[in-house]
Amino acid sequence: MKIITLFLLFFCAALPLHAEDFKNVKMLKDREPQLPTYEELVHLADHPHPAGILKHKVDKLFRSPFVSNQASRNGVEPRYPEDSRLGRFMRVMSWNIEKSLNLTQAIQAFTRPKDFALLIDTDRFPPGTPGYEKILYQRSLLNAADVIILEEMDWGVKRSGYRHSPKDLAEALNMNYAFAPAYLEIDKVNLGIEKFNNKDGSLNTDIAKMIEVDRAKYKGLFGSAVLSRYPILAVKAFPLIYQGYDWYEGEKNKYSLLEIARRKAAEGVFLEKLFREMKVGGRNFLRVDLYVPWLPEKRLTVINIHLEIKCLPEAREMQIREILNYIRDIRNPVVMMGDFNAAPADLSPTTVKREARRFLTNPSFWFSQLIRYATPQGATLDFGRITSNLTKNFQNPTAPDIPIIAPNNVYGLFKTIRDFRFNDGYAFDFRGNKNRSTNHKKKMLANSNERDRIGYRMTFTTERTIFQVIGKYRLDWAFVKGYITDPLDKQQTCRFAPHFGKTLEAMNDGLRERISDHHPNIVDIPFEEPRIKN
């Protein structure tokens, strides 16, 4: 009798769950905080630190995420992807969707394969060629994603057609969503109130018409979202204490001649246009807890990351330390993904004085001078050293930091995450296994983040690159906390550990117009010990 009972329990456990299994879940109630009016946004354009009622409204907006569990209430179930290697698994995807500029095309990629195929650049990838088929294959991988982590989501901004991007995408995919605004776009150009005069002082009506906005539709929200076919149990969001850059004061000031030259160079060399972006708000912490019945704890925590880009790497390291401190007490599995902006450069507006100070206080600069003047072939040796180090760091932001000789200022961010331990003793998974990674790579983080021939597959690309190196960065990353205590121990369990991390570069770069300047990333996480040997 006991054998029959055990068999029935095992058989039932192996069956997929259905919508009725979620009926008793205490899902978070839908909520939509009050938004500032257009007139209040205009006031913020001149008074970024308001008082009274407006201050309370703005503070509450940044701490009260928008939530919808409508899909789960309608009976939507996760896709429950399964294969012979992993068994039943969860596919998680992240994508910085570039200000939601091409949201219609993004929806086509997720939901309408035939329409998506029409976006492919068939001059470069004719139908039937391997390149064309690779684009379609990578697009098909989106189908199984039950959790989607998104950055740069607009709501009510003219550049993206005033769309409520999180809601529109969630409804198109029939998913629940949580959206946390990080900034309010209050640049006077975006608001349509900047005046542009001709040389004689008269109003330039052509420009005035071009920047005219629909005041009834303008909301000015910019932030991050998590979409899920699993019910949302809890959401928390708030601005980080350490910001790294002030998007109001830093953008308000007139640019120096050096900054103007840098922006002209970016447009000429990389085909990238850099615009003024005055905002109020700040980089934020976004946590979304999901009901996942296949986990022992029945709970998964998703941390959506979007660190500052207009700062030095040390500032991003401060931000990740702050975020890790907030999640230290979590005792269930965690997926931390998004745009870490793990680049060596500081894109904030610069001046000659600032750059001179950084050069003169940089030990590597003085080491270069020593090499150049102390040896007969000094200039050649130093050029080789700098070039090889730049290549090393651009291709592999996790490369070791060798002070002065071969520095890597980005390394500290990854070391901080690798050394971090939750209070339950578990760690983020940094492993790389030949049989658990894309391209059979074995080096660090290969299971969760796709590696290339050298370093990692890049996730951000400018319109034009130099030698396929400069202008390409690995900015977006995936980190998973499962049930391991040592981030690099390949002998520990692989249950709910990252597998086959992949960057979907082809499905984005192979289009006539890219959906985003970032490529999507996916990672597969098995609910049980997978059928793979190390």
Side-chain angles (χ1 to χ4, degrees):
M1 190 68 179
K2 288 183 178 180
I3 295 175
I4 295 174
T5 303
L6 289 172
F7 173 78
L8 289 173
L9 287 172
F10 175 79
F11 179 74
C12 291
L15 291 174
L17 296 177
H18 296 288
E20 56 266 24
D21 295 299
F22 292 97
K23 282 185 176 179
N24 295 323
V25 177
K26 292 184 178 179
M27 292 181 270
L28 195 62
K29 292 182 179 180
D30 292 4
R31 64 190 187 198
E32 192 164 301
Q34 186 180 12
L35 301 182
T37 65
Y38 176 81
E39 289 72 24
E40 288 171 330
L41 294 174
V42 170
H43 178 79
L44 287 171
D46 287 318
H47 307 88
H49 306 292
I53 295 175
L54 182 55
K55 172 178 169 53
H56 176 74
K57 182 186 287 190
V58 171
D59 288 347
K60 187 174 181 180
L61 176 68
F62 292 135
R63 292 176 177 271
S64 305
F66 298 75
V67 178
S68 172
N69 266 313
Q70 187 62 49
S72 287
R73 287 198 301 275
N74 290 343
V76 170
E77 303 176 51
R79 297 286 171 85
Y80 303 123
E82 189 169 355
D83 72 16
S84 59
R85 300 168 300 175
L86 298 180
R88 188 181 293 114
F89 65 93
M90 172 189 287
R91 176 164 294 164
V92 184
M93 171 188 169
S94 75
W95 198 358
N96 179 321
I97 213 157
E98 195 188 1
K99 302 181 179 70
S100 309
L101 295 174
N102 294 310
L103 192 70
T104 298
Q105 293 88 329
I107 291 174
Q108 289 174 342
F110 280 106
T111 63
R112 300 197 294 274
K114 291 184 179 179
D115 290 340
F116 174 81
L118 299 176
L119 303 176
I120 297 174
D121 186 347
T122 52
D123 291 335
R124 291 189 294 151
F125 306 102
T129 61
Y132 184 87
E133 295 302 320
K134 184 177 182 180
I135 293 169
L136 294 181
Y137 166 71
Q138 287 194 356
R139 190 226 65 82
S140 72
L141 296 176
L142 305 183
N143 296 335
D146 279 325
V147 179
I148 301 174
I149 299 166
L150 300 157
E151 296 80 46
E152 298 203 12
M153 299 294 282
D154 271 2
W155 178 6
V157 184
K158 181 179 180 180
R159 65 191 174 206
S160 49
Y162 303 105
R163 299 188 70 153
H164 188 335
S165 299
K167 182 179 180 180
D168 289 353
L169 186 55
E171 289 182 349
L173 274 62
N174 210 4
M175 300 178 81
N176 307 309
Y177 76 90
F179 170 60
Y183 292 97
L184 286 168
E185 301 277 359
I186 48 81
D187 193 301
K188 291 183 178 181
V189 173
N190 283 335
L191 291 168
I193 58 175
E194 185 88 277
K195 293 183 178 181
F196 292 88
N197 295 326
N198 297 313
K199 290 182 178 180
D200 62 2
S202 62
L203 178 67
N204 188 316
T205 54
D206 291 335
I207 295 180
K209 186 176 181 179
M210 184 176 65
I211 66 172
E212 184 178 344
V213 303
D214 188 327
R215 300 185 177 193
K217 293 181 179 179
Y218 193 89
K219 311 298 180 188
L221 273 64
F222 176 82
S224 300
V226 173
L227 277 56
S228 169
R229 291 192 182 90
Y230 295 95
I232 298 172
L233 299 176
V235 179
K236 180 179 286 189
F238 51 82
L240 296 175
I241 295 172
Y242 194 87
Q243 286 298 318
Y245 183 68
D246 186 329
W247 281 81
Y248 184 87
E249 295 296 335
E251 299 290 301
K252 182 181 71 173
N253 299 325
K254 289 185 177 181
Y255 296 136
S256 67
L257 292 176
L258 180 61
E259 177 62 18
I260 293 171
R262 183 173 77 163
R263 290 174 179 244
K264 289 289 185 181
E267 185 173 350
V269 177
F270 299 109
L271 303 183
E272 295 290 309
K273 291 185 178 180
L274 303 177
F275 299 100
R276 186 185 72 181
E277 298 181 81
M278 290 175 63
K279 315 172 194 275
V280 293
R283 301 292 179 176
N284 63 351
F285 170 77
L286 173 57
R287 168 182 173 170
V288 180
D289 284 34
L290 306 175
Y291 175 73
V292 181
W294 301 115
L295 292 172
E297 304 86 353
K298 311 294 185 188
R299 196 180 193 99
L300 170 69
T301 298
V302 176
I303 306 297
N304 188 329
I305 297 289
H306 194 188
L307 303 183
E308 184 55 64
I309 184 60
K310 294 196 174 186
C311 63
L312 290 172
E314 291 83 352
R316 286 186 286 276
E317 188 177 333
M318 291 285 290
Q319 289 184 328
I320 203 64
R321 287 181 184 277
E322 185 179 346
I323 290 170
L324 293 176
N325 185 58
Y326 294 140
I327 67 175
R328 187 179 299 276
D329 290 333
I330 297 175
R331 293 185 174 273
N332 52 261
V334 176
V335 173
M336 184 170 72
M337 291 179 71
D339 182 1
F340 289 72
N341 275 318
D346 176 2
L347 296 185
S348 62
T350 192
T351 63
V352 172
K353 183 178 180 180
R354 188 186 81 174
E355 296 305 317
R357 183 175 67 252
R358 287 181 177 177
F359 268 112
L360 295 175
T361 57
N362 183 354
S364 188
F365 168 78
W366 294 108
F367 183 71
S368 290
Q369 306 314 303
L370 179 64
I371 293 177
R372 286 173 178 269
Y373 297 108
T375 61
Q377 297 83 23
T380 303
L381 289 172
D382 190 50
F383 177 78
R385 179 187 70 86
I386 293 173
T387 303
S388 63
N389 191 52
L390 281 174
T391 304
K392 167 184 75 91
N393 294 346
F394 277 124
Q395 296 290 330
N396 181 10
T398 67
D401 176 31
I402 306 173
I404 301 177
I405 299 173
N408 177 16
N409 295 334
V410 182
Y411 173 75
L413 185 147
F414 298 95
K415 185 178 185 300
T416 296
I417 299 172
R418 187 191 66 197
D419 293 346
F420 175 74
R421 296 294 181 275
F422 290 84
N423 285 344
D424 59 11
Y426 292 129
F428 283 111
D429 197 320
F430 270 61
R431 292 177 292 186
N433 303 75
K434 180 179 179 181
N435 295 326
R436 302 178 190 273
S437 65
T438 300
N439 300 331
H440 299 288
K441 300 295 184 180
K442 297 188 292 184
K443 293 185 177 181
M444 186 172 69
L445 283 172
N447 295 352
S448 48
N449 299 270
E450 184 177 357
R451 279 188 169 260
D452 211 339
R453 290 183 298 107
I454 302 174
Y456 294 87
R457 177 76 63 180
M458 300 293 102
T459 66
F460 171 87
T461 312
T462 55
E463 287 289 344
R464 180 190 292 162
T465 62
I466 300 176
F467 305 126
Q468 288 297 306
V469 175
I470 310 299
K472 298 178 70 174
Y473 305 92
R474 178 84 191 184
L475 301 183
D476 309 81
W477 296 83
F479 299 96
V480 178
K481 174 212 178 189
Y483 301 102
I484 65 169
T485 55
D486 185 327
L488 294 168
D489 187 351
K490 297 181 181 181
Q491 302 307 312
Q492 292 195 31
T493 181
C494 287
R495 181 184 187 183
F496 210 77
H499 285 71
F500 310 118
K502 183 180 284 292
T503 298
L504 309 183
E505 181 178 8
M507 67 149 282
N508 190 39
D509 266 354
L511 309 181
R512 290 191 300 275
E513 179 184 359
R514 295 186 301 177
I515 296 173
S516 172
D517 51 6
H518 290 248
H519 310 313
N521 293 275
I522 60 171
V523 62
D524 294 341
I525 313 173
F527 289 114
E528 300 295 338
E529 195 72 36
R531 310 176 187 99
I532 300 174
K533 294 182 179 180
N534 285 338

